[in-house]
Amino acid sequence: MSTNPVKNSKGLSAVIPKDNDGYCTVYKMDCTDGLGLMTIYEVYPGIQVIYNDFEAASCEWDAQPGKNILEINHCREGREGSRLLSGSCLYLGEGDMSIHAMDNCSPEMTFPLNHYRGISVVINLNTVAENPPEILCESGIDILGFKEKFCADGNCFIMRAKNEIEHIFSELYSVPDFLQKSYFKLKVQELLLFLSVIDVSQEKQREQYTAPQVEIVKEIHQKLVSNLQERFTIEQLSKEYLINTATLKNTFKGIYGKPIGNYMKEYRIRQAAVLLRQTQATIAEIANQVGYENQSKFATAFRDIMMISPAEYRKQNVGE
């Protein structure tokens, strides 16, 4: 398969060239449960910068990529999950960066929050080694050694959010069109230099989770969001799904980004906000629908999350 897995995405619905030289192409995806856009820039031979923008739970493709292709992912908004062929699952939160060999990853990206915005840099190591950017020649960086450095023994490198990552990627989200070609080359070179000096052994990486753990926690998540009027304790869920309480709490936070209690509080309030905008139900009725018997507690929780009272929120968003 080519460096670009998007061409084989199951839900690919449109390919839109943005210029005549193949530098920029937009791929539209109709995912099974939402939509996605992937805008791909051919920055150097063998190096692509991809802007990912999804309002969906997942995106799949059919074929496996070739050998010696690395994918570097940076999460800007939402969360993104991948599964290695070993069965280990990894999740990126806002500001995190991962590096994995594409032939060691299942052909699917998942988005636990049904929303994801981020950047991928895909590097065909063989092609880059044959046609290296000038900075690689000057610095003596061994691009072929990146795979062993970051992905030895089928592993994946996950770096927690830090200032150095933010510096490299944050500016890529607001590049004027007329500067893109030159600026992308500059930022890719900066990224390669940054990766060349990382001491993998000194980095505290994100935890990975087993596929069975992830599937159980996803089932628990579905139970929670499908029964907002009920309040389940962690002990109840642990006993029902035969999962250790510590594993449940740790894996849930790893997938969804927050402890169960905090996540469900925000989820309830976000659902309440939808009901306030789209229905004529009273505030008391909406509070009950999302699991608050006490309207005062609901109003306090709503203000904590939305920074405004339910009544004022409805007044400002009526008719949406």
Side-chain angles (χ1 to χ4, degrees), residues 43-59:
V43 178
Y44 285 109
I47 301 180
Q48 299 170 330
V49 171
I50 306 174
Y51 285 77
N52 302 296
D53 196 347
F54 283 87
E55 297 295 331
S58 65
C59 176

PDB file of all heavy atoms in Angstrom, residues 43-59:
ATOM      1  N   VAL A  43       4.559  17.469   1.695  1.00  0.00           N
ATOM      2  CA  VAL A  43       5.550  18.477   2.061  1.00  0.00           C
ATOM      3  C   VAL A  43       6.918  18.171   1.459  1.00  0.00           C
ATOM      4  O   VAL A  43       7.599  19.049   0.927  1.00  0.00           O
ATOM      5  CB  VAL A  43       5.651  18.600   3.591  1.00  0.00           C
ATOM      6  CG1 VAL A  43       6.713  19.623   3.992  1.00  0.00           C
ATOM      7  CG2 VAL A  43       4.294  18.994   4.174  1.00  0.00           C
ATOM      8  N   TYR A  44       7.360  16.926   1.586  1.00  0.00           N
ATOM      9  CA  TYR A  44       8.600  16.437   0.992  1.00  0.00           C
ATOM     10  C   TYR A  44       8.295  15.084   0.358  1.00  0.00           C
ATOM     11  O   TYR A  44       7.293  14.444   0.704  1.00  0.00           O
ATOM     12  CB  TYR A  44       9.677  16.228   2.064  1.00  0.00           C
ATOM     13  CG  TYR A  44      10.330  17.469   2.610  1.00  0.00           C
ATOM     14  CD1 TYR A  44      10.078  17.894   3.904  1.00  0.00           C
ATOM     15  CD2 TYR A  44      11.241  18.198   1.832  1.00  0.00           C
ATOM     16  CE1 TYR A  44      10.701  19.026   4.428  1.00  0.00           C
ATOM     17  CE2 TYR A  44      11.868  19.332   2.346  1.00  0.00           C
ATOM     18  CZ  TYR A  44      11.588  19.738   3.631  1.00  0.00           C
ATOM     19  OH  TYR A  44      12.207  20.851   4.131  1.00  0.00           O
ATOM     20  N   PRO A  45       9.144  14.592  -0.539  1.00  0.00           N
ATOM     21  CA  PRO A  45       8.975  13.211  -1.000  1.00  0.00           C
ATOM     22  C   PRO A  45       9.005  12.262   0.205  1.00  0.00           C
ATOM     23  O   PRO A  45       9.976  12.231   0.961  1.00  0.00           O
ATOM     24  CB  PRO A  45      10.189  12.995  -1.913  1.00  0.00           C
ATOM     25  CG  PRO A  45      10.544  14.366  -2.401  1.00  0.00           C
ATOM     26  CD  PRO A  45      10.262  15.279  -1.237  1.00  0.00           C
ATOM     27  N   GLY A  46       7.919  11.548   0.416  1.00  0.00           N
ATOM     28  CA  GLY A  46       7.857  10.602   1.529  1.00  0.00           C
ATOM     29  C   GLY A  46       7.389  11.192   2.847  1.00  0.00           C
ATOM     30  O   GLY A  46       7.316  10.476   3.847  1.00  0.00           O
ATOM     31  N   ILE A  47       7.058  12.494   2.883  1.00  0.00           N
ATOM     32  CA  ILE A  47       6.579  13.111   4.129  1.00  0.00           C
ATOM     33  C   ILE A  47       5.296  13.879   3.860  1.00  0.00           C
ATOM     34  O   ILE A  47       5.262  14.797   3.033  1.00  0.00           O
ATOM     35  CB  ILE A  47       7.624  14.063   4.745  1.00  0.00           C
ATOM     36  CG1 ILE A  47       8.918  13.320   5.048  1.00  0.00           C
ATOM     37  CG2 ILE A  47       7.068  14.686   6.032  1.00  0.00           C
ATOM     38  CD1 ILE A  47      10.008  14.202   5.660  1.00  0.00           C
ATOM     39  N   GLN A  48       4.232  13.486   4.566  1.00  0.00           N
ATOM     40  CA  GLN A  48       2.942  14.148   4.452  1.00  0.00           C
ATOM     41  C   GLN A  48       2.557  14.779   5.789  1.00  0.00           C
ATOM     42  O   GLN A  48       2.813  14.206   6.850  1.00  0.00           O
ATOM     43  CB  GLN A  48       1.846  13.146   4.071  1.00  0.00           C
ATOM     44  CG  GLN A  48       2.059  12.451   2.744  1.00  0.00           C
ATOM     45  CD  GLN A  48       1.074  11.314   2.542  1.00  0.00           C
ATOM     46  OE1 GLN A  48       0.629  10.684   3.497  1.00  0.00           O
ATOM     47  NE2 GLN A  48       0.723  11.049   1.290  1.00  0.00           N
ATOM     48  N   VAL A  49       1.940  15.941   5.720  1.00  0.00           N
ATOM     49  CA  VAL A  49       1.298  16.550   6.878  1.00  0.00           C
ATOM     50  C   VAL A  49      -0.206  16.446   6.649  1.00  0.00           C
ATOM     51  O   VAL A  49      -0.713  16.871   5.606  1.00  0.00           O
ATOM     52  CB  VAL A  49       1.714  18.026   7.052  1.00  0.00           C
ATOM     53  CG1 VAL A  49       0.864  18.704   8.116  1.00  0.00           C
ATOM     54  CG2 VAL A  49       3.191  18.111   7.436  1.00  0.00           C
ATOM     55  N   ILE A  50      -0.911  15.850   7.615  1.00  0.00           N
ATOM     56  CA  ILE A  50      -2.344  15.577   7.469  1.00  0.00           C
ATOM     57  C   ILE A  50      -3.115  16.273   8.584  1.00  0.00           C
ATOM     58  O   ILE A  50      -2.831  16.071   9.771  1.00  0.00           O
ATOM     59  CB  ILE A  50      -2.630  14.068   7.516  1.00  0.00           C
ATOM     60  CG1 ILE A  50      -1.790  13.321   6.475  1.00  0.00           C
ATOM     61  CG2 ILE A  50      -4.119  13.800   7.299  1.00  0.00           C
ATOM     62  CD1 ILE A  50      -1.925  11.803   6.559  1.00  0.00           C
ATOM     63  N   TYR A  51      -4.082  17.078   8.204  1.00  0.00           N
ATOM     64  CA  TYR A  51      -4.990  17.693   9.169  1.00  0.00           C
ATOM     65  C   TYR A  51      -6.227  16.806   9.302  1.00  0.00           C
ATOM     66  O   TYR A  51      -6.909  16.527   8.306  1.00  0.00           O
ATOM     67  CB  TYR A  51      -5.412  19.086   8.699  1.00  0.00           C
ATOM     68  CG  TYR A  51      -4.332  20.129   8.869  1.00  0.00           C
ATOM     69  CD1 TYR A  51      -3.257  20.188   7.986  1.00  0.00           C
ATOM     70  CD2 TYR A  51      -4.378  21.046   9.909  1.00  0.00           C
ATOM     71  CE1 TYR A  51      -2.259  21.138   8.133  1.00  0.00           C
ATOM     72  CE2 TYR A  51      -3.379  22.002  10.066  1.00  0.00           C
ATOM     73  CZ  TYR A  51      -2.325  22.045   9.177  1.00  0.00           C
ATOM     74  OH  TYR A  51      -1.341  22.983   9.332  1.00  0.00           O
ATOM     75  N   ASN A  52      -6.498  16.358  10.519  1.00  0.00           N
ATOM     76  CA  ASN A  52      -7.633  15.477  10.783  1.00  0.00           C
ATOM     77  C   ASN A  52      -8.725  16.251  11.524  1.00  0.00           C
ATOM     78  O   ASN A  52      -8.452  16.875  12.550  1.00  0.00           O
ATOM     79  CB  ASN A  52      -7.198  14.299  11.660  1.00  0.00           C
ATOM     80  CG  ASN A  52      -6.083  13.493  11.041  1.00  0.00           C
ATOM     81  OD1 ASN A  52      -6.253  12.890   9.992  1.00  0.00           O
ATOM     82  ND2 ASN A  52      -4.915  13.498  11.675  1.00  0.00           N
ATOM     83  N   ASP A  53      -9.932  16.180  11.011  1.00  0.00           N
ATOM     84  CA  ASP A  53     -11.068  16.854  11.657  1.00  0.00           C
ATOM     85  C   ASP A  53     -12.270  15.920  11.585  1.00  0.00           C
ATOM     86  O   ASP A  53     -12.852  15.727  10.522  1.00  0.00           O
ATOM     87  CB  ASP A  53     -11.366  18.174  10.939  1.00  0.00           C
ATOM     88  CG  ASP A  53     -12.260  19.094  11.759  1.00  0.00           C
ATOM     89  OD1 ASP A  53     -12.835  18.621  12.760  1.00  0.00           O
ATOM     90  OD2 ASP A  53     -12.373  20.285  11.407  1.00  0.00           O
ATOM     91  N   PHE A  54     -12.625  15.317  12.732  1.00  0.00           N
ATOM     92  CA  PHE A  54     -13.677  14.297  12.752  1.00  0.00           C
ATOM     93  C   PHE A  54     -14.761  14.636  13.768  1.00  0.00           C
ATOM     94  O   PHE A  54     -14.482  15.090  14.878  1.00  0.00           O
ATOM     95  CB  PHE A  54     -13.092  12.926  13.116  1.00  0.00           C
ATOM     96  CG  PHE A  54     -12.352  12.260  11.993  1.00  0.00           C
ATOM     97  CD1 PHE A  54     -11.006  12.524  11.784  1.00  0.00           C
ATOM     98  CD2 PHE A  54     -12.999  11.392  11.125  1.00  0.00           C
ATOM     99  CE1 PHE A  54     -10.316  11.924  10.744  1.00  0.00           C
ATOM    100  CE2 PHE A  54     -12.319  10.786  10.084  1.00  0.00           C
ATOM    101  CZ  PHE A  54     -10.970  11.047   9.893  1.00  0.00           C
ATOM    102  N   GLU A  55     -15.995  14.412  13.338  1.00  0.00           N
ATOM    103  CA  GLU A  55     -17.144  14.395  14.240  1.00  0.00           C
ATOM    104  C   GLU A  55     -17.735  12.998  14.084  1.00  0.00           C
ATOM    105  O   GLU A  55     -18.729  12.789  13.403  1.00  0.00           O
ATOM    106  CB  GLU A  55     -18.160  15.477  13.875  1.00  0.00           C
ATOM    107  CG  GLU A  55     -17.628  16.898  13.995  1.00  0.00           C
ATOM    108  CD  GLU A  55     -17.293  17.289  15.425  1.00  0.00           C
ATOM    109  OE1 GLU A  55     -17.935  16.751  16.345  1.00  0.00           O
ATOM    110  OE2 GLU A  55     -16.377  18.129  15.611  1.00  0.00           O
ATOM    111  N   ALA A  56     -17.091  12.032  14.677  1.00  0.00           N
ATOM    112  CA  ALA A  56     -17.454  10.624  14.503  1.00  0.00           C
ATOM    113  C   ALA A  56     -16.804   9.825  15.623  1.00  0.00           C
ATOM    114  O   ALA A  56     -16.002  10.345  16.408  1.00  0.00           O
ATOM    115  CB  ALA A  56     -16.984  10.111  13.145  1.00  0.00           C
ATOM    116  N   ALA A  57     -17.153   8.534  15.699  1.00  0.00           N
ATOM    117  CA  ALA A  57     -16.573   7.664  16.720  1.00  0.00           C
ATOM    118  C   ALA A  57     -15.375   6.884  16.201  1.00  0.00           C
ATOM    119  O   ALA A  57     -14.553   6.423  16.983  1.00  0.00           O
ATOM    120  CB  ALA A  57     -17.623   6.687  17.255  1.00  0.00           C
ATOM    121  N   SER A  58     -15.261   6.747  14.855  1.00  0.00           N
ATOM    122  CA  SER A  58     -14.144   5.974  14.309  1.00  0.00           C
ATOM    123  C   SER A  58     -14.002   6.218  12.813  1.00  0.00           C
ATOM    124  O   SER A  58     -14.910   6.741  12.158  1.00  0.00           O
ATOM    125  CB  SER A  58     -14.338   4.467  14.564  1.00  0.00           C
ATOM    126  OG  SER A  58     -15.474   3.990  13.858  1.00  0.00           O
ATOM    127  N   CYS A  59     -12.843   5.830  12.285  1.00  0.00           N
ATOM    128  CA  CYS A  59     -12.587   5.864  10.850  1.00  0.00           C
ATOM    129  C   CYS A  59     -11.745   4.640  10.510  1.00  0.00           C
ATOM    130  O   CYS A  59     -10.740   4.371  11.189  1.00  0.00           O
ATOM    131  CB  CYS A  59     -11.861   7.144  10.461  1.00  0.00           C
ATOM    132  SG  CYS A  59     -11.402   7.240   8.715  1.00  0.00           S
TER     133      CYS A  59
END
